[in-house]
Amino acid sequence: MEDIIRLLPDAVANQIAAGEVVQRPASVVKELLENAVDAGATQIQLIIKDAGKTLIQVTDNGKGMSFNDARLCFERHATSKLRKADDLFHICTKGFRGEALASIAAIAHVELKTKPAADEMGTLVLIEGADIKEHAPITCADGTSIAVKNLFFNVPARRNFLKSDKVELTHIEEELYRVALIHHDITFQYYNNGKLILLLPASNMRQRIVNIFGQHFNDKLFPVELDHELMRISGFIAKPENAKRKSEQYMFVNQRFVRHSLLNFAVEKAYADLIPQGSHPAYFIAIEIDPAMIDVNVSPTKVEVKLQDERLFFGFLNSTVKKALGTMSLTPMIDFDDSFPDIITEKPENKEITAPVFHTNPNYNPFDKVPEKKHSSPFQQFGGGGFRRETPTSNDWENFLKELNVEKVEYPKEEQQTVDFQSETAENSIEIPETIPFFVFGGRYLFFELNGQVMTADLPNVQERILYDMYVNALKNTPIRPQQSLFPQTVTLTAAQTDLAISLKGDFLRLGYDLEKIDNTHIAVNATPNDEEEEGDVQALIENVLTAYQTNQVIHKGDKISGIAQSLARQKRSRQRVPATQEEVKSLIRRLFESDMPTISPSGKSTLHIFGAEELRHYFE
């Protein structure tokens, strides 16, 4: 039999290894920044062109490399961090595998210039697809400068899988933040396409957070601190009222950014009773432990780690965050009173004690079938011993809406060229009586009678449906009229968020928000919708819209209009007024039934429960 197993050529093996280490331009940024930190640099410069596809350059003032080391560092498994296998259990540096530079050189054009401070001459190394083109002494500055050009030039299939420049830049900036946050004693400069985007001078951790995420973050932060013989915990957590659907969460162990579900759960568990369900707190937490207690040799990216005693970590971290929240006077406190209530041991005079009487129906059988209803409705809530819901069919709703004389609103498929702002008074398309019996229970549930049926509406879900349809209509057809602000509000964002917001400027304007770029991290909001509350948090609103848009586009690949409209509707539904008059109730009902989907909110939750008089009568018989 002929042998079929062959050794792979070095070039192919390096490209396979590159597939594990270099997934996108951000992976190169991560490896180069970490190498600069390991080299003892105090100043690091990151230069990006075309979202890293054309150029990724990192320059540092670290210790540099000798002539031979400059060549050897591009060999696979060549590293200065390990000498023996036991060193794997005491890793204190970022890199140690010796795979990163070899993988990068296999799929790009690399130019390395390096010089130790003690040497008179530096070294130049040019590599194209793992082939050494030049290795010679040159004159250069102390430290190391490595430029990675034409990434994936020899692997076009990998290049085709890259996302848009905005998405790739977002990943690049995220890698920069992860390194810069924990190494706040290092000065970072970030350039994109020739422009200085971010300058981070050496500072403390709090100032570094503010410099990256904006001055508005300063008031949100609260310190966490634990100094124990087993571990040291430091950093900051955000106040519960600043929790968002997607928040800034950074966990570091021994100055290495890590992703660990248990550590994240320990923090979120401490916030469990303080934030709404579905929201997440922001945190920036650094843990220092014995390197032997953590295994970072789990994945090529060195982000996934294993902990020696997970329960120990969970307990310390959870209690530390809880203590910090308690210091904020935000967690519920329990006062133990030494006094006890008086216990009555004697029968009160002139009063008889009678046993309570319970009335039961001996003929009641919970398994009896419900008599056939005389009036059908899209929802059947009563049966047996409680409520149950059936999915209405399209015919059910068509018949029901016909009885209400509802005319469905059809939105045009193509956007009109002329901009006609929404009229403040819309024509009524539903005939409803002048007086509608109604009441609001618990500030949330609206009970009313319409067309011989009793209905219960969940006001937040109803408002979300109405607002969503209004925003979709504004984005597709008729914009909302903006109102110029006497004093424009300034919103602070990251550089990537600023670019995204300006790219969506036209969409925001159709929603009533006039945005203007001030600089790379600040935007002026010159106008807001007519109905926008003055105290509304425009900063949080725009941040959440941008976050939802990115998630919708990158992860779910959903429709842009739907993502923006749903994010705004979710945020502003709670700001809507609870109807208190006949006109307000009739307007709410009219706008709800004009929707194509009046019974379901954009989040997939029910807006209405409908039941007739016969159901109610049978329930009480």
Side-chain angles (χ1 to χ4, degrees):
M1 179 179 176
E2 185 182 356
D3 296 337
I4 60 174
I5 296 178
R6 300 284 188 272
L7 287 174
L8 286 173
D10 289 341
V12 178
N14 286 336
Q15 288 186 10
I16 293 174
E20 297 179 347
V21 178
V22 185
Q23 300 174 359
R24 58 191 343 140
S27 305
V28 177
V29 172
K30 173 185 182 296
E31 300 295 344
L32 298 186
L33 289 178
E34 290 182 348
N35 284 346
V37 171
D38 285 341
T42 59
Q43 295 182 356
I44 299 176
Q45 185 181 77
L46 172 63
I47 300 174
I48 300 295
K49 286 186 180 179
D50 298 329
K53 300 170 187 175
T54 301
L55 173 67
I56 300 171
Q57 183 174 353
V58 172
T59 303
D60 66 69
N61 64 345
K63 58 187 178 183
M65 289 181 283
S66 66
F67 184 83
N68 291 331
D69 284 348
R71 167 65 183 83
L72 191 59
C73 72
F74 290 100
E75 296 293 333
R76 290 188 66 193
H77 309 306
T79 177
S80 62
K81 316 296 173 58
L82 300 177
R83 289 292 181 267
K84 55 185 183 299
D86 289 344
D87 293 343
L88 282 172
F89 304 102
H90 300 84
I91 293 174
C92 299
T93 56
K94 303 292 184 184
F96 56 89
R97 289 170 175 263
E99 294 177 318
L101 290 180
S103 298
I104 294 170
I107 53 175
H109 297 161
V110 179
E111 178 185 275
L112 171 68
K113 296 178 181 179
T114 184
K115 174 183 174 295
D119 293 353
E120 294 183 359
M121 296 291 292
T123 304
L124 169 67
V125 178
L126 295 179
I127 301 179
E128 294 182 5
D131 294 332
I132 304 295
K133 298 299 183 181
E134 187 175 353
H135 181 206
I138 60 165
T139 301
C140 62
D142 294 344
T144 300
S145 175
I146 181 167
V148 178
K149 306 174 184 178
N150 304 321
L151 190 64
F152 299 125
F153 81 98
N154 54 353
V155 194
R158 293 292 303 278
R159 194 180 182 94
N160 292 336
F161 276 95
L162 296 179
K163 305 297 182 181
S164 67
D165 286 358
K166 291 177 183 177
V167 173
E168 296 300 336
L169 277 175
T170 300
H171 287 285
I172 288 173
E173 291 180 358
E174 178 64 21
E175 293 296 344
L176 172 62
Y177 298 160
R178 292 175 180 181
V179 176
L181 281 170
I182 193 60
H183 296 285
H184 44 78
D185 54 338
I186 299 177
T187 299
F188 289 87
Q189 292 178 323
Y190 167 44
Y191 292 85
N192 179 32
N193 292 333
K195 295 181 181 179
L196 177 62
I197 303 299
L198 201 59
L199 174 61
L200 302 174
S203 61
N204 57 40
M205 189 173 188
R206 186 186 194 107
Q207 188 59 48
R208 178 57 57 87
I209 296 172
V210 171
N211 288 341
I212 291 177
F213 297 104
Q215 186 62 39
H216 68 283
F217 239 90
N218 193 34
D219 297 331
K220 301 178 181 180
L221 301 176
F222 199 85
V224 292
E225 191 73 31
L226 173 69
D227 196 352
H228 191 271
E229 60 181 358
L230 291 178
M231 68 182 66
R232 184 177 183 273
I233 300 175
S234 61
F236 297 89
I237 58 175
K239 297 176 181 178
E241 59 264 28
N242 301 120
K244 298 185 295 185
R245 294 185 64 84
K246 183 179 180 182
S247 205
E248 292 78 10
Q249 297 184 336
Y250 293 87
M251 183 72 64
F252 304 93
V253 178
N254 291 352
Q255 297 193 321
R256 179 190 302 277
F257 174 84
V258 300
R259 274 197 297 260
H260 197 284
S261 58
L262 187 68
L263 296 181
N264 178 74
F265 181 66
V267 178
E268 301 227 3
K269 182 71 173 176
Y271 280 84
D273 299 326
L274 302 175
I275 61 177
Q277 187 175 3
S279 297
H280 303 281
Y283 58 79
F284 309 84
I285 298 177
I287 303 175
E288 296 292 332
I289 60 171
D290 183 352
M293 297 178 67
I294 181 173
D295 182 8
V296 299
N297 189 29
V298 177
S299 68
T301 59
K302 301 180 290 293
V303 173
E304 310 293 336
V305 297
K306 288 185 178 180
L307 304 174
Q308 191 177 80
D309 191 340
E310 294 184 340
R311 290 180 299 175
L312 180 70
F313 278 86
F314 178 90
F316 273 108
L317 183 57
N318 181 258
S319 60
T320 301
V321 174
K322 277 187 175 180
K323 180 181 178 181
L325 291 171
T327 306
M328 278 190 256
S329 299
L330 293 169
T331 54
M333 303 298 292
I334 300 176
D335 281 338
F336 293 95
D337 193 350
D338 291 336
S339 62
F340 292 91
D342 295 332
I343 300 176
I344 300 176
T345 57
E346 296 181 358
K347 173 182 174 181
E349 296 182 1
N350 301 325
K351 289 186 179 180
E352 280 189 17
I353 299 176
T354 58
V357 178
F358 298 94
H359 299 283
T360 60
N361 181 3
N363 298 321
Y364 172 71
N365 186 349
F367 299 101
D368 282 346
K369 293 183 178 180
V370 180
E372 189 175 337
K373 308 289 188 300
K374 295 181 181 179
H375 299 282
S376 61
S377 66
F379 286 98
Q380 178 183 348
Q381 262 113 344
F382 289 97
F387 285 24
R388 73 180 178 90
R389 175 181 166 190
E390 293 182 355
T391 304
T393 65
S394 58
N395 291 333
D396 290 333
W397 275 115
E398 286 178 4
N399 295 333
F400 179 73
L401 294 177
K402 282 180 181 178
E403 294 177 4
L404 292 179
N405 296 321
V406 176
E407 297 179 7
K408 291 187 179 180
V409 178
E410 297 291 342
Y411 297 128
K413 295 183 178 179
E414 296 184 358
E415 186 176 340
Q416 296 180 356
Q417 297 298 322
T418 58
V419 177
D420 297 324
F421 290 105
Q422 288 181 1
S423 173
E424 304 217 356
T425 58
E427 294 184 2
N428 299 339
S429 59
I430 300 178
E431 294 181 6
I432 55 178
E434 293 187 7
T435 303
I436 297 180
F438 77 93
F439 69 92
V440 178
F441 178 74
R444 173 166 182 165
Y445 303 102
L446 172 67
F447 288 80
F448 61 96
E449 182 182 351
L450 184 63
N451 197 35
Q453 292 180 312
V454 178
M455 306 187 187
T456 307
D458 185 287
L459 288 175
N461 293 342
V462 168
Q463 297 288 9
E464 184 180 340
R465 165 51 62 189
I466 293 173
L467 289 170
Y468 174 82
D469 289 344
M470 181 181 72
Y471 293 138
V472 169
N473 187 32
L475 290 167
K476 286 186 175 182
N477 184 21
T478 310
I480 297 173
R481 185 182 300 277
Q483 179 175 325
Q484 291 298 125
S485 302
L486 186 61
F487 300 101
Q489 300 186 51
T490 300
V491 174
T492 304
L493 304 169
T494 64
Q497 287 176 324
T498 301
D499 290 340
L500 179 59
I502 295 304
S503 71
L504 297 174
K505 181 178 179 179
D507 296 306
F508 274 107
L509 183 59
R510 299 186 73 85
L511 294 168
Y513 297 90
D514 184 12
L515 307 185
E516 180 183 359
K517 184 175 180 179
I518 300 176
D519 55 33
N520 291 328
T521 57
H522 294 87
I523 288 177
V525 183
N526 297 320
T528 56
N530 285 327
D531 60 349
E532 182 74 20
E533 299 178 5
E534 293 183 2
E535 65 273 14
D537 188 356
V538 177
Q539 169 82 41
L541 184 142
I542 292 179
E543 277 185 337
N544 290 334
V545 168
L546 296 177
T547 300
Y549 172 80
Q550 288 177 312
T551 303
N552 198 44
Q553 292 291 101
V554 178
I555 299 177
H556 304 300
K557 298 181 180 179
D559 176 57
K560 178 181 76 169
I561 289 178
S562 177
I564 295 176
Q566 187 169 346
S567 175
L568 267 180
R570 282 178 178 174
Q571 294 182 74
K572 298 183 71 173
R573 69 177 196 173
S574 59
R575 302 182 186 179
Q576 303 303 303
R577 173 185 173 88
V578 176
T581 65
Q582 281 286 331
E583 290 304 316
E584 289 174 347
V585 171
K586 288 191 290 185
S587 175
L588 184 79
I589 295 171
R590 182 181 301 112
R591 296 177 69 186
L592 175 63
F593 283 108
E594 284 174 350
S595 172
D596 288 336
M597 301 182 66
T599 61
I600 302 294
S601 74
S603 300
K605 297 180 180 179
S606 178
T607 59
L608 284 173
H609 287 309
I610 306 175
F611 43 91
E614 289 299 323
E615 283 112 310
L616 283 175
R617 184 178 300 110
H618 171 76
Y619 185 72
F620 289 103
E621 286 178 353

